[in-house]
């Protein structure tokens, strides 16, 4: 399975790293468990985004809906990255129950994008090392 992924008739793409590193991206609410943005899709003709947030160690996902803005290159970004004084929540502490399970491309993307930022998520390098061991490679391989 690879990108894009289809879930309930909607096509989701990976969250761009530019959204996560944007100065107006924020980690909403204090506490844990914290879940992290991994994929998004548009609806209502690009006026809203549905963003999937995944847990770092559990297989669950929460879907969050936010306003969207079209940008010059034809893409769409969360309203919080455009509206003055606003912030887009790149990670949140959920206040509701999970609504779905994480898909494999989302899990891989979480490791790729968040692994070097969040201790609870394996970094891409340590994931590759674990794969080498699982495939019969040297456990000391770096």
């Amino acid at each position: 399975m690879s990108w894009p992924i289809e879930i309930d008739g909607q096509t989701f793409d990976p969250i761009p790293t530019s959204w996560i590193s944007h100065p107006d991206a924020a980690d909403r609410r204090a506490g844990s468990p914290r879940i992290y943005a991994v994929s998004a899709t548009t609806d209502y003709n690009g006026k809203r985004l549905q963003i999937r947030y995944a847990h770092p160690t559990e297989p669950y996902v929460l879907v969050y809906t936010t306003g969207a803005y079209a940008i010059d290159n034809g893409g769409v970004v969360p309203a919080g990255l455009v509206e003055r004084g606003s912030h887009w929540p790149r990670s949140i502490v959920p206040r509701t129950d999970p609504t779905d399970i994480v898909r494999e491309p989302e899990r891989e993307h979480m490791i790729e994008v968040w692994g070097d930022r969040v201790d609870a998520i394996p970094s891409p390098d340590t994931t590759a090392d674990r794969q080498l061991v699982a495939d019969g490679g040297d456990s000391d391989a770096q």
Side-chain angles (χ1 to χ4, degrees), residues 26-50:
D27 299 311
R28 183 175 286 170
R29 300 183 198 118
S32 64
R34 184 159 294 283
I35 56 178
Y36 301 89
V38 292
S39 64
T41 190
T42 59
D43 59 8
Y44 292 99
N45 295 320
K47 294 182 181 175
R48 283 194 336 183
L49 279 168
Q50 287 189 31

Side-chain angles (χ1 to χ4, degrees), residues 2 30 49 70-71 78 82 89 92 96 101-103 105 110 114 139:
S2 62
L49 279 168
I71 55 176
V82 176
I92 59 175
T96 61
I101 59 169
V102 69
R103 305 308 198 271
M110 179 189 292
W114 289 101
S139 63

Side-chain angles (χ1 to χ4, degrees), residues 12-125:
F12 285 80
D13 290 298
I15 293 291
T17 56
S18 61
W19 291 11
I20 293 169
S21 60
H22 193 281
D24 291 328
D27 299 311
R28 183 175 286 170
R29 300 183 198 118
S32 64
R34 184 159 294 283
I35 56 178
Y36 301 89
V38 292
S39 64
T41 190
T42 59
D43 59 8
Y44 292 99
N45 295 320
K47 294 182 181 175
R48 283 194 336 183
L49 279 168
Q50 287 189 31
I51 300 172
R52 291 171 54 88
Y53 290 83
H55 189 277
T57 59
E58 301 295 325
Y60 71 76
V61 167
L62 183 67
V63 180
Y64 175 87
T65 302
T66 187
Y69 278 93
I71 55 176
D72 293 340
N73 70 2
V76 175
V77 297
L81 298 182
V82 176
E83 294 175 345
R84 188 177 186 145
S86 293
H87 296 283
W88 169 68
R90 62 185 172 195
S91 73
I92 59 175
V93 174
R95 291 187 176 166
T96 61
D97 290 335
T99 54
D100 199 7
I101 59 169
V102 69
R103 305 308 198 271
E104 188 58 33
E106 291 174 317
R107 174 71 60 205
E108 291 170 4
H109 187 61
M110 179 189 292
I111 291 167
E112 177 185 320
V113 173
W114 289 101
D116 292 333
R117 292 177 166 95
V118 178
D119 290 340
I121 301 171
S123 72
D125 292 337

